[in-house]
Amino acid sequence: MRTEQNLTRVDRVFARLDREPERPAHLDMPHMSRHRVVLFGLTLAFYAAIVWAVVTTSWLVRFDWQVMFFRPYQQWPEIHAFLDYYVVLGQRGPTAVMVAAWLGWRSWRQHTLRPLLTLGASLLLLNVTVGAAKLGMGRLGPHYATAIGSNEMWRGGDIFPSGHTANAVVTWGILAYMASTPRARRWLSALSAVIALGVGLTTVYLGTHWLSDVLLGWAAGLLILLALPWFEPLINRVEAWIFDLRDTWRSRRAGTAPVPAPVGAPKPVSQRPQPDEETTPVRDPVASPRVGAQRGSVHLAPGPHSARSERTPVTPVGSRRPPHPDRPTRGASSARPLTGN
């Protein structure tokens, strides 16, 4: 009989991931090249310049106030309803779900957890870096400004840099980062840039962010994408750790972990011979039939049995005929006793 193992849904997913990846072999994982390092340095310098320009209340802060007094949502009210929905492309929850669904399918197709782990690492970096900058600088937004011409820094706000803009850069840019072909990477890079640019300008149109918030949000998101190759070794170690944890959990669930025997206990004897050991054929003992014994069903223990031709012939003892009260047994004297006349 063939026994099939009942696999749970988690087991089937990991069994699918155990297979060889279908990613083209000529494509390597992104590495920190010299070109990427130069871009990272330039973006970091731009980030620092924006922060310095706002802290010192330079011309950039004055331009922020001019854009705010222009009130774009009053200049073009006909697109207000559309942009209310378009700005959702920069919200953390909906975009993370959509991108995670796509990368989850990629993980299933390529039999690896790397796309999902890369998304998780990028979102974690986004929360740590952008969240710390928001709380550290505490800038108020246009709707809550207290003094005309001020930079509104360190007043308990949380809009600098723009979280919508940085999230749009990271979540949509991760699709280009995980692309399998150069052509797909170029198209996805252009698409993510258009979405991030539109989300940032939409927040300025709605009056929820200063223009300098959006500029810093673009720089913050781009810094995370450029720094991801530094975290690739950590992502690989986490993936290997998850698979090791899966194997340990599976072995414990199947009960294959060795149990230590108590001290002084005899070693168990295997009932079935191992395939690597040399075993000699064992013959079944043949018992002598008893006369008048009732025949019952014989249950043989599992084990190897010899063929009938290899068994030693045994001559039955006694008569094969059933006993009869008037019939003398074989071997007894058939002479009748002599009686007197």
Side-chain angles (χ1 to χ4, degrees):
M1 296 177 61
R2 185 182 65 179
T3 58
E4 296 181 356
Q5 184 181 5
N6 295 327
L7 299 177
T8 62
R9 182 173 299 178
V10 177
D11 292 333
R12 289 194 296 267
V13 170
F14 277 110
R16 172 85 177 183
L17 295 175
D18 279 338
R19 297 172 53 188
E20 292 296 327
E22 293 182 357
R23 183 169 177 152
H26 64 279
L27 290 178
D28 299 328
M29 281 188 293
H31 60 282
M32 208 63 185
S33 61
R34 182 179 302 178
H35 178 69
R36 188 181 288 268
V37 172
V38 172
L39 286 178
F40 183 85
L42 293 177
T43 307
L44 186 61
F46 179 77
Y47 187 99
I50 295 297
V51 173
W52 178 256
V54 174
V55 170
T56 58
T57 316
S58 64
W59 63 269
L60 185 58
V61 175
R62 294 193 297 270
F63 188 71
D64 285 338
W65 280 96
Q66 292 175 2
V67 173
M68 193 272 288
F69 285 135
F70 181 70
R71 290 182 175 83
Y73 58 90
Q74 293 182 355
Q75 301 296 328
W76 303 286
E78 60 275 3
I79 61 175
H80 195 289
F82 169 74
L83 293 181
D84 277 338
Y85 289 100
Y86 183 83
V87 78
V88 178
L89 295 177
Q91 290 184 0
R92 185 73 48 83
T95 56
V97 170
M98 289 186 288
V99 175
W102 169 257
L103 294 181
W105 182 80
R106 288 282 305 277
S107 295
W108 181 267
R109 289 285 299 170
Q110 296 180 355
H111 319 301
T112 177
L113 294 175
R114 180 175 169 265
L116 289 177
L117 292 177
T118 304
L119 175 63
S122 62
L123 293 181
L124 181 61
L125 290 174
L126 180 65
N127 291 333
V128 172
T129 57
V130 176
K134 282 174 174 288
L135 297 178
M137 289 181 279
R139 190 183 189 188
L140 293 176
H143 294 311
Y144 302 96
T146 57
I148 298 176
S150 66
N151 56 13
E152 302 297 327
M153 296 286 286
W154 300 293
R155 296 186 179 181
D158 57 350
I159 65 164
F160 188 63
S162 171
H164 276 68
T165 306
N167 182 74
V169 173
V170 173
T171 52
W172 299 110
I174 201 70
L175 298 180
Y177 179 83
M178 298 299 300
S180 300
T181 60
R183 181 180 180 183
R185 185 176 296 111
R186 287 192 297 268
W187 280 101
L188 290 175
S189 298
L191 177 63
S192 61
V194 170
I195 294 177
L197 181 66
V199 169
L201 294 180
T202 299
T203 59
V204 176
Y205 169 86
L206 297 175
T208 57
H209 280 287
W210 307 99
L211 181 60
S212 57
D213 299 341
V214 174
L215 295 177
L216 197 64
W218 285 332
L222 187 58
L223 284 175
I224 294 174
L225 290 179
L226 292 174
L228 275 180
W230 279 330
F231 297 89
E232 286 291 345
L234 178 61
I235 292 173
N236 293 335
R237 287 196 296 269
V238 171
E239 183 180 15
W241 176 78
I242 291 176
F243 280 109
D244 292 340
L245 186 64
R246 182 277 316 265
D247 295 337
T248 303
W249 173 77
R250 180 180 294 176
S251 62
R252 289 181 180 178
R253 182 183 177 188
T256 57
V259 180
V263 179
K267 295 183 179 180
V269 180
S270 179
Q271 303 240 347
R272 297 185 180 181
Q274 300 297 330
D276 296 338
E277 300 177 357
E278 295 181 359
T279 57
T280 56
V282 181
R283 297 182 179 180
D284 295 336
V286 180
S288 301
R290 297 179 182 179
V291 180
Q294 296 180 356
R295 297 182 179 179
S297 60
V298 179
H299 300 278
L300 298 178
H305 299 281
S306 57
R308 184 180 297 271
S309 60
E310 298 178 358
R311 300 178 184 176
T312 305
V314 179
T315 304
V317 180
S319 177
R320 297 184 179 180
R321 294 181 296 176
H324 195 274
D326 297 337
R327 182 180 303 163
T329 58
R330 179 176 298 180
S333 176
S334 59
R336 295 182 179 179
L338 299 176
T339 56
N341 292 332

Coordinates of all heavy atoms in Angstrom, one line a residue, residues 88-172:
V88 N -3.6 58.6 -2.7 CA -3.6 57.3 -2.0 C -2.4 56.4 -2.4 O -1.9 55.5 -1.7 CB -4.9 56.5 -2.2 CG1 -4.9 55.2 -1.5 CG2 -6.1 57.4 -1.6
L89 N -1.9 56.7 -3.6 CA -0.7 55.9 -4.1 C 0.5 56.2 -3.3 O 1.5 55.5 -3.4 CB -0.5 56.3 -5.5 CG -1.5 55.9 -6.6 CD1 -1.1 56.3 -8.0 CD2 -1.7 54.4 -6.5
G90 N 0.4 57.2 -2.3 CA 1.6 57.4 -1.5 C 1.3 57.0 0.0 O 2.2 57.2 0.8
Q91 N 0.1 56.5 0.3 CA -0.1 56.0 1.6 C 0.5 54.7 1.9 O 0.5 53.8 1.0 CB -1.7 55.9 1.9 CG -2.3 57.3 1.9 CD -3.8 57.2 2.3 OE1 -4.3 56.1 2.5 NE2 -4.5 58.4 2.4
R92 N 1.0 54.5 3.1 CA 1.7 53.3 3.4 C 0.9 52.0 3.3 O 1.4 51.0 2.7 CB 2.3 53.4 4.9 CG 3.2 52.3 5.3 CD 4.5 52.5 4.7 NE 5.0 53.8 4.7 CZ 5.6 54.3 5.8 NH1 5.9 53.6 6.9 NH2 6.0 55.6 5.8
G93 N -0.3 52.0 3.9 CA -1.0 50.7 3.9 C -1.4 50.2 2.5 O -1.1 49.1 2.1
P94 N -2.2 51.0 1.7 CA -2.6 50.5 0.4 C -1.5 50.1 -0.5 O -1.5 49.1 -1.2 CB -3.5 51.6 -0.1 CG -3.9 52.4 1.1 CD -2.8 52.3 2.0
T95 N -0.5 51.0 -0.5 CA 0.7 50.7 -1.5 C 1.4 49.5 -1.0 O 1.9 48.7 -1.9 CB 1.6 51.9 -1.5 OG1 2.0 52.3 -0.2 CG2 0.9 53.1 -2.2
A96 N 1.6 49.3 0.3 CA 2.4 48.1 0.8 C 1.6 46.8 0.4 O 2.2 45.8 0.1 CB 2.6 48.2 2.3
V97 N 0.3 46.8 0.5 CA -0.5 45.6 0.2 C -0.4 45.3 -1.3 O -0.2 44.2 -1.7 CB -2.0 45.8 0.6 CG1 -2.8 44.7 0.1 CG2 -2.1 45.9 2.1
M98 N -0.5 46.3 -2.1 CA -0.5 46.1 -3.6 C 0.9 45.6 -4.0 O 1.0 44.6 -4.8 CB -0.8 47.4 -4.3 CG -2.3 47.7 -4.2 SD -2.7 49.2 -5.3 CE -1.9 50.5 -4.4
V99 N 2.0 46.2 -3.5 CA 3.3 45.8 -3.9 C 3.7 44.5 -3.3 O 4.3 43.6 -3.9 CB 4.3 46.9 -3.5 CG1 5.8 46.4 -3.7 CG2 4.1 48.2 -4.2
A100 N 3.2 44.2 -2.1 CA 3.5 42.9 -1.4 C 2.8 41.8 -2.2 O 3.3 40.7 -2.3 CB 3.0 42.9 0.0
A101 N 1.6 42.0 -2.8 CA 0.9 41.0 -3.5 C 1.7 40.7 -4.8 O 1.9 39.5 -5.2 CB -0.5 41.5 -3.9
W102 N 2.2 41.7 -5.5 CA 3.0 41.4 -6.7 C 4.3 40.7 -6.3 O 4.7 39.7 -7.0 CB 3.3 42.8 -7.4 CG 4.4 42.6 -8.5 CD1 5.7 43.0 -8.4 CD2 4.2 42.1 -9.8 NE1 6.3 42.8 -9.6 CE2 5.4 42.2 -10.4 CE3 3.1 41.5 -10.4 CZ2 5.6 41.7 -11.7 CZ3 3.3 41.1 -11.7 CH2 4.5 41.2 -12.4
L103 N 5.0 41.2 -5.3 CA 6.3 40.5 -4.9 C 6.1 39.1 -4.3 O 6.9 38.3 -4.4 CB 7.1 41.4 -3.9 CG 7.5 42.8 -4.5 CD1 8.3 43.5 -3.4 CD2 8.4 42.5 -5.7
G104 N 4.9 38.9 -3.7 CA 4.6 37.6 -3.3 C 4.5 36.6 -4.4 O 4.9 35.5 -4.4
W105 N 3.8 37.1 -5.5 CA 3.7 36.2 -6.7 C 5.1 36.0 -7.3 O 5.4 34.9 -7.8 CB 2.8 36.9 -7.7 CG 2.6 36.1 -8.9 CD1 1.8 35.0 -9.1 CD2 3.3 36.2 -10.2 NE1 1.8 34.5 -10.4 CE2 2.8 35.3 -11.1 CE3 4.3 37.1 -10.7 CZ2 3.2 35.1 -12.4 CZ3 4.7 37.0 -12.0 CH2 4.2 36.0 -12.8
R106 N 6.0 37.0 -7.3 CA 7.3 36.8 -7.7 C 8.1 35.8 -6.9 O 8.9 35.0 -7.4 CB 8.1 38.2 -7.7 CG 7.6 39.1 -8.8 CD 8.2 38.8 -10.1 NE 9.7 38.7 -10.0 CZ 10.5 39.7 -10.1 NH1 10.0 41.0 -10.3 NH2 11.8 39.6 -10.1
S107 N 7.9 35.8 -5.6 CA 8.5 34.9 -4.7 C 8.0 33.5 -5.0 O 8.8 32.5 -5.0 CB 8.2 35.2 -3.2 OG 8.8 36.4 -2.9
W108 N 6.8 33.3 -5.3 CA 6.2 32.0 -5.7 C 6.8 31.5 -7.0 O 7.1 30.3 -7.1 CB 4.7 32.1 -5.7 CG 4.0 30.8 -6.1 CD1 3.7 30.4 -7.3 CD2 3.7 29.8 -5.2 NE1 3.1 29.1 -7.2 CE2 3.0 28.7 -5.9 CE3 3.8 29.6 -3.8 CZ2 2.5 27.6 -5.3 CZ3 3.3 28.5 -3.2 CH2 2.7 27.5 -4.0
R109 N 6.9 32.4 -8.0 CA 7.5 32.0 -9.3 C 8.9 31.7 -9.2 O 9.4 30.7 -9.8 CB 7.2 33.1 -10.3 CG 5.7 33.3 -10.6 CD 5.3 32.2 -11.6 NE 6.0 32.2 -12.8 CZ 6.0 31.2 -13.7 NH1 5.2 30.2 -13.5 NH2 6.7 31.3 -14.9
Q110 N 9.7 32.5 -8.5 CA 11.1 32.3 -8.4 C 11.6 31.4 -7.3 O 12.8 31.1 -7.2 CB 11.8 33.7 -8.3 CG 11.6 34.6 -9.4 CD 12.3 35.9 -9.2 OE1 12.9 36.2 -8.2 NE2 12.2 36.8 -10.2
H111 N 10.6 30.9 -6.5 CA 10.9 30.0 -5.4 C 12.0 30.5 -4.4 O 13.0 29.9 -4.1 CB 11.4 28.6 -5.9 CG 10.7 28.2 -7.1 ND1 9.3 28.0 -7.1 CD2 11.0 27.9 -8.4 CE1 8.9 27.6 -8.3 NE2 9.9 27.5 -9.1
T112 N 11.8 31.8 -4.0 CA 12.7 32.4 -3.0 C 11.9 33.4 -2.3 O 10.9 34.0 -2.7 CB 13.9 33.1 -3.8 OG1 14.7 33.7 -2.8 CG2 13.4 34.0 -4.8
L113 N 12.4 33.7 -1.0 CA 11.7 34.7 -0.2 C 12.4 36.1 -0.3 O 12.0 37.0 0.3 CB 11.8 34.3 1.3 CG 11.0 33.0 1.7 CD1 11.3 32.7 3.1 CD2 9.5 33.2 1.4
R114 N 13.4 36.2 -1.2 CA 14.1 37.5 -1.3 C 13.2 38.7 -1.7 O 13.4 39.8 -1.1 CB 15.2 37.3 -2.3 CG 16.1 38.6 -2.5 CD 17.2 38.4 -3.4 NE 17.8 39.7 -3.8 CZ 17.6 40.4 -4.9 NH1 16.7 39.9 -5.7 NH2 18.1 41.5 -5.1
P115 N 12.3 38.6 -2.6 CA 11.5 39.8 -2.9 C 10.7 40.3 -1.7 O 10.7 41.5 -1.5 CB 10.5 39.3 -4.1 CG 11.3 38.2 -4.7 CD 12.0 37.5 -3.6
L116 N 10.1 39.4 -1.0 CA 9.3 39.9 0.2 C 10.2 40.4 1.3 O 9.9 41.4 2.0 CB 8.4 38.7 0.7 CG 7.2 38.3 -0.2 CD1 6.5 37.2 0.4 CD2 6.3 39.5 -0.4
L117 N 11.4 39.7 1.5 CA 12.3 40.2 2.5 C 12.9 41.6 2.1 O 13.1 42.4 3.0 CB 13.4 39.2 2.7 CG 12.9 37.8 3.3 CD1 14.1 36.9 3.4 CD2 12.3 38.1 4.7
T118 N 13.1 41.8 0.9 CA 13.7 43.1 0.4 C 12.6 44.2 0.7 O 13.0 45.3 1.1 CB 14.1 43.0 -1.0 OG1 15.0 41.9 -1.2 CG2 14.7 44.3 -1.5
L119 N 11.4 43.9 0.4 CA 10.3 44.9 0.6 C 10.2 45.2 2.1 O 10.1 46.3 2.5 CB 9.0 44.3 0.1 CG 7.8 45.2 0.4 CD1 7.9 46.6 -0.2 CD2 6.5 44.5 0.0
G120 N 10.3 44.1 3.0 CA 10.2 44.3 4.4 C 11.4 45.2 4.9 O 11.3 46.0 5.8
A121 N 12.6 44.9 4.4 CA 13.8 45.7 4.8 C 13.7 47.1 4.4 O 14.0 48.1 5.2 CB 15.1 45.1 4.2
S122 N 13.2 47.4 3.2 CA 13.0 48.8 2.7 C 12.0 49.5 3.5 O 12.2 50.7 3.9 CB 12.6 48.8 1.2 OG 11.4 48.2 1.0
L123 N 10.8 48.9 3.9 CA 9.8 49.6 4.7 C 10.3 49.8 6.1 O 10.0 50.8 6.7 CB 8.6 48.7 4.7 CG 7.8 48.6 3.4 CD1 6.5 47.8 3.6 CD2 7.4 50.0 2.8
L124 N 11.1 48.9 6.6 CA 11.7 49.1 8.0 C 12.7 50.3 8.0 O 12.6 51.1 8.9 CB 12.4 47.8 8.4 CG 13.1 47.8 9.8 CD1 12.0 48.1 10.9 CD2 13.8 46.5 10.1
L125 N 13.5 50.4 6.9 CA 14.4 51.5 6.8 C 13.6 52.8 6.7 O 14.0 53.9 7.2 CB 15.4 51.3 5.7 CG 16.4 50.2 5.8 CD1 17.2 50.1 4.5 CD2 17.4 50.6 6.9
L126 N 12.5 52.7 5.9 CA 11.7 53.9 5.7 C 11.1 54.4 7.0 O 11.1 55.6 7.4 CB 10.6 53.6 4.7 CG 9.7 54.8 4.4 CD1 10.4 55.9 3.7 CD2 8.5 54.3 3.5
N127 N 10.6 53.5 7.8 CA 10.0 53.9 9.1 C 11.0 54.4 10.1 O 10.7 55.4 10.8 CB 9.3 52.7 9.8 CG 8.1 52.2 9.0 OD1 7.4 53.0 8.3 ND2 7.7 51.0 9.1
V128 N 12.2 53.8 10.1 CA 13.2 54.3 11.0 C 13.8 55.7 10.7 O 13.8 56.6 11.5 CB 14.3 53.3 11.1 CG1 15.5 53.8 12.0 CG2 13.8 52.0 11.8
T129 N 14.2 55.8 9.4 CA 14.8 57.1 9.0 C 13.9 58.2 8.9 O 14.1 59.3 9.5 CB 15.6 56.8 7.7 OG1 14.6 56.4 6.7 CG2 16.7 55.8 7.8
V130 N 12.8 58.0 8.1 CA 11.8 59.1 7.9 C 11.1 59.4 9.3 O 10.9 60.6 9.6 CB 10.9 58.8 6.8 CG1 9.8 59.9 6.7 CG2 11.6 58.6 5.5
G131 N 10.8 58.4 10.0 CA 10.1 58.7 11.3 C 11.0 59.4 12.3 O 10.5 60.3 13.0
A132 N 12.2 59.1 12.3 CA 13.1 59.8 13.2 C 13.3 61.2 12.8 O 13.4 62.1 13.7 CB 14.5 59.1 13.3
A133 N 13.4 61.5 11.5 CA 13.6 62.9 11.0 C 12.3 63.7 11.3 O 12.4 64.9 11.7 CB 13.9 62.9 9.5
K134 N 11.1 63.1 11.1 CA 9.9 63.8 11.4 C 9.8 64.2 12.9 O 9.5 65.4 13.2 CB 8.7 62.9 11.1 CG 8.3 62.8 9.6 CD 7.2 61.8 9.4 CE 6.7 61.7 8.0 NZ 5.9 62.9 7.7
L135 N 10.1 63.3 13.8 CA 10.0 63.6 15.2 C 11.1 64.5 15.7 O 10.9 65.3 16.6 CB 10.0 62.3 16.0 CG 8.8 61.3 15.7 CD1 8.9 60.0 16.6 CD2 7.5 62.0 16.1
G136 N 12.3 64.3 15.0 CA 13.4 65.2 15.5 C 13.3 66.6 15.1 O 13.7 67.5 15.9
M137 N 12.7 66.9 13.9 CA 12.6 68.3 13.5 C 11.3 68.9 13.8 O 11.2 70.2 13.9 CB 12.9 68.4 12.0 CG 14.4 68.2 11.7 SD 14.8 68.3 9.9 CE 14.3 66.6 9.4
G138 N 10.2 68.1 13.9 CA 9.0 68.6 14.4 C 8.4 69.9 13.7 O 8.0 70.8 14.4
R139 N 8.3 69.8 12.4 CA 7.9 71.0 11.7 C 6.4 71.0 11.5 O 5.8 69.9 11.3 CB 8.5 71.0 10.3 CG 8.3 72.3 9.5 CD 9.0 72.3 8.2 NE 8.9 73.6 7.5 CZ 9.3 73.8 6.2 NH1 9.7 72.8 5.5 NH2 9.2 75.0 5.7
L140 N 5.7 72.1 11.6 CA 4.3 72.2 11.4 C 4.0 72.4 9.9 O 4.8 73.0 9.2 CB 3.7 73.4 12.2 CG 3.7 73.2 13.7 CD1 3.2 74.5 14.4 CD2 2.9 72.0 14.2
G141 N 2.8 71.9 9.5 CA 2.3 72.0 8.1 C 1.7 73.4 7.8 O 1.5 74.2 8.7
P142 N 1.4 73.6 6.5 CA 0.8 74.9 6.1 C -0.5 75.2 6.8 O -0.7 76.4 7.2 CB 0.6 74.8 4.6 CG 1.6 73.7 4.2 CD 1.7 72.8 5.3
H143 N -1.3 74.2 7.1 CA -2.6 74.5 7.7 C -2.5 74.9 9.2 O -3.4 75.4 9.8 CB -3.5 73.3 7.6 CG -4.0 73.1 6.1 ND1 -4.4 74.1 5.3 CD2 -4.0 71.9 5.4 CE1 -4.7 73.5 4.1 NE2 -4.4 72.2 4.1
Y144 N -1.3 74.6 9.8 CA -1.2 74.8 11.2 C 0.0 75.8 11.5 O 0.5 75.9 12.6 CB -0.8 73.5 11.9 CG -1.9 72.4 11.7 CD1 -1.8 71.5 10.8 CD2 -3.0 72.4 12.6 CE1 -2.8 70.5 10.6 CE2 -4.0 71.4 12.4 CZ -3.9 70.5 11.4 OH -4.9 69.5 11.2
A145 N 0.4 76.5 10.5 CA 1.5 77.5 10.7 C 1.1 78.6 11.7 O -0.1 79.0 11.7 CB 1.9 78.1 9.3
T146 N 2.0 79.1 12.4 CA 1.7 80.1 13.5 C 2.2 81.4 13.2 O 1.6 82.4 13.6 CB 2.4 79.6 14.8 OG1 3.8 79.4 14.6 CG2 1.8 78.3 15.3
A147 N 3.3 81.6 12.4 CA 3.9 82.9 12.1 C 4.3 82.9 10.6 O 5.0 82.0 10.1 CB 5.1 83.2 13.0
I148 N 3.9 84.0 9.9 CA 4.2 84.1 8.5 C 5.6 84.3 8.3 O 6.3 85.2 8.9 CB 3.3 85.2 7.9 CG1 1.8 85.0 8.0 CG2 3.7 85.5 6.4 CD1 1.0 86.1 7.5
G149 N 6.2 83.5 7.4 CA 7.6 83.7 7.1 C 8.6 82.8 7.9 O 9.8 82.7 7.7
S150 N 8.0 82.1 9.0 CA 8.9 81.3 9.8 C 9.0 79.9 9.2 O 8.2 79.5 8.4 CB 8.3 81.2 11.2 OG 7.0 80.5 11.2
N151 N 10.0 79.2 9.7 CA 10.2 77.8 9.2 C 9.4 76.8 9.9 O 9.3 75.6 9.5 CB 11.7 77.4 9.2 CG 12.3 77.6 10.7 OD1 11.5 77.7 11.6 ND2 13.6 77.5 10.8
E152 N 8.7 77.2 11.0 CA 7.8 76.3 11.8 C 8.6 75.0 12.3 O 7.9 73.9 12.4 CB 6.6 75.9 11.0 CG 5.8 77.1 10.5 CD 5.2 77.9 11.6 OE1 4.9 77.3 12.6 OE2 5.1 79.1 11.4
M153 N 9.8 75.1 12.6 CA 10.6 73.9 13.1 C 10.5 73.8 14.6 O 10.3 74.8 15.3 CB 12.1 74.1 12.6 CG 12.3 74.1 11.1 SD 12.1 72.5 10.4 CE 13.6 71.7 10.9
W154 N 10.6 72.5 15.1 CA 10.6 72.2 16.5 C 9.4 72.7 17.2 O 9.5 73.3 18.3 CB 11.9 72.7 17.1 CG 13.1 72.1 16.5 CD1 13.5 70.8 16.5 CD2 14.0 72.8 15.7 NE1 14.6 70.6 15.8 CE2 15.0 71.8 15.3 CE3 14.2 74.1 15.3 CZ2 16.1 72.2 14.5 CZ3 15.3 74.5 14.5 CH2 16.2 73.5 14.1
R155 N 8.2 72.5 16.6 CA 7.0 73.0 17.2 C 6.0 71.8 17.4 O 4.8 72.1 17.5 CB 6.3 74.1 16.4 CG 7.2 75.4 16.4 CD 6.5 76.5 15.8 NE 7.4 77.7 15.8 CZ 7.1 78.9 15.3 NH1 5.9 79.1 14.7 NH2 7.9 79.9 15.4
G156 N 6.5 70.6 17.3 CA 5.6 69.4 17.6 C 4.9 68.8 16.3 O 4.1 68.0 16.5
G157 N 5.3 69.3 15.1 CA 4.8 68.7 13.9 C 5.5 67.5 13.5 O 6.4 67.0 14.1
D158 N 5.0 66.9 12.4 CA 5.5 65.6 11.9 C 5.4 65.5 10.4 O 5.0 64.5 9.8 CB 4.9 64.4 12.5 CG 3.4 64.4 12.4 OD1 2.8 65.4 11.9 OD2 2.8 63.3 12.7
I159 N 5.7 66.6 9.7 CA 5.5 66.6 8.2 C 6.8 66.7 7.4 O 6.8 66.7 6.2 CB 4.6 67.7 7.8 CG1 5.2 69.0 8.1 CG2 3.2 67.5 8.5 CD1 4.5 70.2 7.4
F160 N 8.0 66.9 8.1 CA 9.2 67.2 7.4 C 10.2 66.0 7.7 O 10.7 65.9 8.8 CB 9.8 68.5 7.9 CG 11.0 69.0 7.2 CD1 10.9 69.3 5.8 CD2 12.2 69.2 7.8 CE1 12.0 69.8 5.2 CE2 13.3 69.7 7.2 CZ 13.2 70.0 5.8
P161 N 10.5 65.2 6.7 CA 10.1 65.2 5.3 C 8.7 64.6 5.1 O 8.1 64.0 6.0 CB 11.2 64.3 4.6 CG 11.6 63.3 5.7 CD 11.5 64.1 7.0
S162 N 8.2 64.7 3.8 CA 6.9 64.2 3.5 C 6.9 62.7 3.5 O 7.6 62.1 2.7 CB 6.5 64.7 2.1 OG 5.3 64.1 1.7
G163 N 6.0 62.1 4.3 CA 6.0 60.6 4.4 C 5.3 60.0 3.2 O 5.7 59.0 2.7
H164 N 4.3 60.7 2.6 CA 3.6 60.2 1.4 C 4.6 60.2 0.2 O 4.7 59.2 -0.5 CB 2.5 61.1 1.0 CG 1.2 60.8 1.7 ND1 1.0 61.0 3.1 CD2 0.0 60.3 1.3 CE1 -0.2 60.7 3.4 NE2 -0.8 60.2 2.3
T165 N 5.4 61.2 0.1 CA 6.4 61.2 -1.0 C 7.5 60.2 -0.9 O 7.8 59.5 -1.8 CB 7.0 62.6 -1.1 OG1 6.0 63.6 -1.2 CG2 7.9 62.7 -2.3
A166 N 8.1 60.1 0.3 CA 9.1 59.1 0.6 C 8.6 57.6 0.4 O 9.2 56.8 -0.2 CB 9.7 59.2 2.0
N167 N 7.3 57.4 0.9 CA 6.7 56.1 0.7 C 6.5 55.8 -0.7 O 6.7 54.6 -1.2 CB 5.4 56.0 1.5 CG 4.8 54.7 1.4 OD1 5.2 53.7 2.1 ND2 3.7 54.6 0.7
A168 N 6.0 56.7 -1.5 CA 5.8 56.5 -3.0 C 7.1 56.2 -3.7 O 7.2 55.3 -4.6 CB 5.2 57.7 -3.6
V169 N 8.2 56.8 -3.3 CA 9.5 56.5 -3.9 C 9.9 55.1 -3.6 O 10.4 54.4 -4.5 CB 10.5 57.6 -3.5 CG1 11.9 57.2 -4.0 CG2 10.2 59.0 -4.0
V170 N 9.8 54.7 -2.4 CA 10.3 53.4 -1.9 C 9.4 52.3 -2.4 O 9.9 51.3 -3.0 CB 10.4 53.4 -0.4 CG1 10.8 52.0 0.1 CG2 11.5 54.3 0.1
T171 N 8.1 52.3 -2.2 CA 7.3 51.2 -2.5 C 7.2 50.9 -4.0 O 7.1 49.8 -4.4 CB 5.9 51.4 -1.9 OG1 5.4 52.7 -2.3 CG2 5.9 51.3 -0.4
W172 N 7.1 52.0 -4.8 CA 7.0 51.8 -6.2 C 8.4 51.6 -6.8 O 8.6 50.9 -7.9 CB 6.3 52.9 -6.9 CG 4.9 53.1 -6.5 CD1 4.4 54.1 -5.7 CD2 3.8 52.2 -6.7 NE1 3.0 53.9 -5.4 CE2 2.7 52.7 -6.0 CE3 3.7 51.0 -7.4 CZ2 1.4 52.1 -6.1 CZ3 2.4 50.3 -7.4 CH2 1.4 50.9 -6.8

